[in-house]
Amino acid sequence: MIIPLFTKLLTTERQNKIIEVSKALKIDPNWLSAVMYFETGRSFSTKAKNPIGSVGLIQFTRDKAGVEYKTINGVKYNLSDIQKMTFNEQMDLVFQYYKSFAGKMNSFVDVYLVTFFPNALNKTDDYVFQTKGLKASLIAKQNPAFDKNKDGQITRKEVTDYFKGLFKENFNLIDKKKTLNRIKTIWKK
């Protein structure tokens, strides 16, 4: 059920946990696997940490500058505590992070967008990543890989195109669009 690109890096126990969480979120387990593969630098390590201090399987990021915690469903989690969690513990937190989006994520890109920039979920391809308090140019500067045309802004299409290039032939296996029958079939197995 999970494609070989990911299974070769995961124990059976970890694969089963990803499948369990994905089923609860009503998503394909490849979508969640692809997000974690990318966010951990292809390692699936709970200890992964990026240069700005984001940690773990989906790179949990501090709520705001000057604090070292991430609030998920009203609970504050210290980033260093998240980084110390086991794979299964962190997967339970991954579930908590995504659960309010269950049933709303219809592709791998949707799951990634909920991770990176939830405001972009269910927007058109020309949607520019920005908020009232966060300029498009800053988001592009901090995420230059996505700003392919170097115009100082990131669109949803640029994110999709980036992942098509990253995953190449695996992209079509990963990003199969969800249909009710396909997901029902997956979860009957």
Side-chain angles (χ1 to χ4, degrees), residues 122-133:
N122 298 320
K123 298 289 196 273
T124 60
D125 280 348
D126 62 348
Y127 174 79
V128 175
F129 290 33
Q130 63 186 341
T131 65
K132 187 169 43 172

Side-chain angles (χ1 to χ4, degrees), residues 8 18 37 57 75 79 103 135 142 154 161:
K8 68 183 181 184
I18 291 169
Y37 176 86
L57 295 170
V75 179
L79 294 179
K135 292 181 179 182
Q142 292 176 337
I154 298 171
D161 289 347

Side-chain angles (χ1 to χ4, degrees), residues 1-7 10 14-16 18-19 28-30 33:
M1 191 158 30
I2 297 176
I3 65 170
L5 176 67
F6 307 131
T7 58
L10 295 161
R14 287 182 174 195
Q15 290 175 51
N16 288 339
I18 291 169
I19 290 168
D28 185 311
N30 287 301
S33 297

Side-chain angles (χ1 to χ4, degrees), residues 80-98:
S80 63
D81 292 339
I82 293 172
Q83 200 173 19
K84 293 174 191 170
M85 290 178 174
T86 66
F87 186 87
N88 284 353
E89 290 169 337
Q90 210 171 103
M91 283 299 299
D92 290 340
L93 192 58
V94 166
F95 169 74
Q96 290 300 318
Y97 178 82
Y98 289 114

Side-chain angles (χ1 to χ4, degrees), residues 60-61 72 86 100 116 136 159 180 187:
F60 294 97
T61 303
I72 301 170
T86 66
S100 67
F116 174 61
V159 171
L180 187 57
W187 298 131

